[in-house]
Amino acid sequence: MMTRSPQGRTNRLTRPSIAVAAAVAVTAGVVAAAPDAKTAEPTPKLSLIAASTSVTLDSWKEDPGVYLDLGTYLTSENGAFELKVTRKSYKDPVVASQVFRNGKKTTTKALPAGLVKDFSGLPGFAQIKLTDAAGKTVLSQTEAFCPNNASGRVRPDAPAQSKYPQSCPVNPFTLGSVWGVENGWASNTYAGYYSKPVQLAAGTYTAKINVTKKYRDLFGIANQTRTVKVTVRERSWEEPPPVPAGSRSAASAPGGHEGHAGHAGHAGHEGHEKAAAPSAHAHGAPARTEAPAARTTGAGSTFNVGHGPYPPAPAALPWALKKESLQREAFSSAKAGDRAGQTDGSRQAPGVKPNAKRPTGKAVVPDVPKPDLRSLPAYGITVSDGYEEVPGKDYLAFSANVWNAGPAKLVVDGFRSPGKELMDAYQYFYDAAGKQVGYTPTGTMEWDPRPGHEHWHFTDFASYRLLKADQKESVRSGKEAFCLANTDAVDYTVKNANWHPDNTDLSTACGQENSISVREVLDVGSGDTYTQDLPGQSFDITDLPNGTYYIQVLANPENRLKETNHKNNSALRKVVLGGKKGARTVKVPAHHLVNAN
């Protein structure tokens, strides 16, 4: 099975989550100074803190480079730090505003035009300077900051859960996002896997970290430089992970997992099919030996996990786990990364339970809020041959996303009659109080037995077509049945957007072969990305002449699903095919202001 990503990149392997000691320092170091939550003012006070005075970072012999997770956090007191980031259309730039909440009163302040270019975070937020043991500067750079990054509470009376989303979206066609650091919480300033590793020899260094001046001035952050001693150690994938002094070996830890974790991150989502396991590394590349990792809050990235080339940043420990973190042996078997039932190495993503029985009585479509399915333009566009599977063929591959603009979530249940191969599918409707008030038959679900799929697909959810320059159909993709999952935060500013959707991966959301019923949900504000990685799911362009074409992503092609609007289901992306058979090329012009292929 191929695992090549649409962008031609192979899977990037994960690294451990933030160390237990660092997370404890975040919680322990600032509790005494925290103000009383009951008397806090709504204007947030932001501070840069360091979780620990020292960190140890790994450089892998097989993949040299060090990720600068220095354990610095931005804390927010006297209220939450909240930003709203939007664009009216793909013809308009991305703009940001700060949101202030005081009880039922909400005010906003526009941030400077051009401050943000996309939805991945505040660019150039943290200034990092690294010197070696001799005092020579070996690195000076800035990093972006996603306020939704790995986070945890800094005092016990802070809200138990952060209301903000768990990542900053990186889909090039994102329309709106909400970023925030909850009151009494801290968010890691490390750019995570969105940053590039730096080349550092094994040894000791001193890191100085501060918030850059423009953000200090903009948000009233004190000019405080944090100093962290850094030890870089060289390791090999083939070597067992080091066992901290005083803790049991991973092999003897509870659960007997030998301290190994799956890789967190990109799966070439074999057309939306879960990168089945850590074995899905491209072309048999060796899997990295995984170090023991700490249990986490789950307050880390969940989107684009298993569905694109952007693994999440690691999550941190909450205040509530401070005592438990002292018992390190209880953590040594915890697994970080992406695998069945997990999205960020800690957070379970079970499929929501369907109704126990298929609906009875007269089908009715009531006058209540309904979903609004919309398509994003195709991206991640590339050409490839058929490899060993289909030699002599040329294919056009791409990623596509259908999202729900609301104001109601899409809920589809499948029910299987004993001995039948197909499930009967039903769409459900709910009133403003969440009570089910109607249903209608909406086609079928089918079991896909192919390796990497192995779950129930809802038929006729979307269709992909390659149109000629006159926008008449030329080729249709073989992919028209889907397992629904909330893989991408497309616009969390729409009405009723759910910032914490449940099924953000496919591991349990779409049933097993012996399932009698399945529920698939697409929440408001979220979209479902499929990458067209495999021959047969992408477009066969072997015999197509060179020239201009359009990739059409069409949601709800047969109008089986009931929506608020059926007129916004299609999106087109222009491509220009060139080259010759066996060596085809594709050029992808910018889509208005979005220049991402």
Side-chain angles (χ1 to χ4, degrees):
M1 181 178 71
M2 292 195 307
T3 58
R4 178 173 295 183
S5 74
Q7 288 78 6
R9 292 192 287 264
T10 55
N11 299 347
R12 179 153 63 188
L13 304 177
T14 189
R15 51 186 297 285
S17 297
I18 298 171
V20 174
V24 172
V26 173
T27 61
V30 295
V31 169
D36 189 326
K38 295 181 181 179
T39 62
E41 295 296 329
T43 301
K45 179 182 178 181
L46 306 181
S47 301
L48 181 72
I49 64 171
S52 177
T53 57
S54 62
V55 297
T56 299
L57 306 177
D58 292 327
S59 178
W60 299 87
K61 293 179 182 178
E62 296 83 354
D63 184 19
V66 178
Y67 289 91
L68 289 179
D69 181 4
L70 301 172
T72 51
Y73 290 74
L74 186 75
T75 67
S76 184
E77 296 286 2
N78 296 345
F81 174 57
E82 182 175 327
L83 301 179
K84 181 180 179 182
V85 190
T86 62
R87 60 179 161 206
K88 294 180 180 179
S89 73
Y90 301 126
K91 298 179 181 179
D92 298 290
V94 178
V95 296
S97 58
Q98 187 172 2
V99 180
F100 303 90
R101 300 185 186 276
N102 184 7
K104 295 182 178 180
K105 182 181 179 181
T106 300
T107 58
T108 61
K109 180 183 74 173
L111 299 183
L115 181 71
V116 294
K117 303 295 184 182
D118 55 28
F119 295 88
S120 61
L122 296 168
F125 183 86
Q127 175 69 49
I128 301 171
K129 182 180 180 180
L130 219 65
T131 56
D132 62 16
K136 179 183 178 181
T137 299
V138 296
L139 175 75
S140 181
Q141 67 179 38
T142 60
E143 284 200 342
F145 169 55
C146 168
N148 296 348
N149 202 356
S151 57
R153 294 193 290 175
V154 297
R155 50 185 172 83
D157 61 339
Q161 300 291 332
S162 171
K163 60 178 169 286
Y164 296 105
Q166 296 171 331
S167 69
C168 289
V170 290
N171 187 307
F173 289 100
T174 300
L175 288 164
S177 185
V178 177
W179 304 340
V181 181
E182 183 61 271
N183 182 32
W185 282 60
S187 182
N188 194 346
T189 61
Y190 167 53
Y193 297 92
Y194 308 138
S195 67
K196 295 180 180 180
V198 297
Q199 302 302 313
L200 293 174
T204 58
Y205 302 85
T206 299
K208 292 186 179 295
I209 310 99
N210 200 350
V211 176
T212 53
K213 186 176 186 303
K214 69 175 179 180
Y215 290 110
R216 297 200 308 265
D217 294 344
L218 184 60
F219 299 124
I221 304 172
N223 183 10
Q224 296 174 318
T225 299
R226 301 304 178 186
T227 301
V228 178
K229 296 296 182 181
V230 179
T231 299
V232 174
R233 62 184 179 185
E234 188 177 67
R235 293 178 58 188
S236 171
W237 299 352
E238 298 177 356
E239 299 171 357
V243 179
S247 65
R248 290 184 287 175
S249 69
S252 64
H257 292 301
E258 301 180 354
H260 293 339
H263 67 285
H266 165 66
H269 190 32
E270 191 223 34
H272 194 84
E273 322 327 328
K274 196 73 176 157
S279 61
H281 297 306
H283 304 294
R288 174 179 295 178
T289 300
E290 298 144 332
R295 191 174 305 171
T296 66
T297 65
S301 302
T302 57
F303 294 98
N304 285 297
V305 179
H307 310 280
Y310 303 103
L317 279 172
W319 184 90
L321 291 180
K322 175 184 176 182
K323 291 183 179 179
E324 191 174 6
S325 68
L326 300 177
Q327 303 170 352
R328 298 203 44 158
E329 64 271 17
F331 286 64
S332 58
S333 65
K335 303 177 76 172
D338 211 33
R339 68 190 55 78
Q342 293 177 288
T343 55
D344 66 354
S346 65
R347 184 172 179 272
Q348 297 295 313
V352 287
K353 294 182 178 179
N355 287 339
K357 298 179 180 179
R358 69 177 63 217
T360 58
K362 183 179 179 181
V364 60
V365 180
D367 185 17
V368 294
K370 296 179 181 64
D372 180 13
L373 299 180
R374 303 183 186 180
S375 299
L376 299 184
Y379 60 99
I381 301 168
T382 186
V383 293
S384 67
D385 58 32
Y387 303 101
E388 297 83 2
E389 291 87 347
V390 192
K393 290 285 188 177
D394 295 308
Y395 291 94
L396 180 67
F398 58 96
S399 293
N401 183 294
V402 172
W403 71 288
N404 180 6
K409 61 184 177 182
L410 172 66
V411 180
V412 178
D413 277 2
F415 295 94
R416 187 180 192 180
S417 298
K420 298 293 185 181
E421 293 186 359
L422 296 179
M423 287 188 181
D424 298 318
Y426 299 85
Q427 182 181 358
Y428 289 86
F429 308 98
Y430 303 84
D431 63 17
K435 180 182 178 181
Q436 180 184 311
V437 291
Y439 77 93
T440 185
T442 187
T444 60
M445 292 186 184
E446 63 183 11
W447 173 256
D448 192 327
R450 292 174 294 174
H453 297 249
E454 296 180 332
H455 47 222
W456 290 89
H457 283 168
F458 173 54
T459 57
D460 295 320
F461 176 70
S463 179
Y464 308 141
R465 305 169 189 189
L466 186 62
L467 310 181
K468 300 176 184 178
D470 60 6
Q471 299 190 13
K472 293 182 179 179
E473 184 175 323
S474 178
V475 181
R476 183 176 298 196
S477 169
K479 181 69 177 176
E480 295 192 6
F482 304 81
C483 167
L484 305 185
N486 301 297
T487 66
D488 293 61
V490 177
D491 193 347
Y492 274 7
T493 68
V494 297
K495 183 179 179 181
N496 295 337
N498 181 4
W499 295 354
H500 297 275
D502 290 326
N503 56 320
T504 54
D505 71 357
L506 302 177
S507 55
T508 57
C510 299
Q512 308 296 324
E513 186 175 11
N514 60 358
S515 296
I516 194 68
S517 60
V518 170
R519 168 162 288 188
E520 300 186 7
V521 177
L522 193 61
D523 261 303
V524 178
S526 290
D528 191 0
T529 291
Y530 274 69
T531 58
Q532 298 283 290
D533 294 71
L534 297 183
Q537 292 183 184
S538 48
F539 296 128
D540 183 349
I541 60 171
T542 307
D543 298 320
L544 287 185
N546 292 337
T548 297
Y549 294 85
Y550 291 89
I551 298 174
Q552 182 188 41
V553 180
L554 182 62
N556 195 15
E558 304 299 329
N559 288 335
R560 294 185 185 275
L561 296 168
K562 304 303 180 183
E563 301 184 58
T564 59
N565 185 357
H566 289 271
K567 297 180 180 180
N568 55 8
N569 289 6
S570 176
L572 300 178
R573 188 72 192 275
K574 184 178 180 180
V575 296
V576 181
L577 296 180
K580 59 183 179 179
K581 188 173 182 179
R584 299 300 294 269
T585 63
V586 62
K587 294 181 180 179
V588 186
H591 186 80
H592 301 302
L593 294 182
V594 180
N595 190 13
N597 69 340

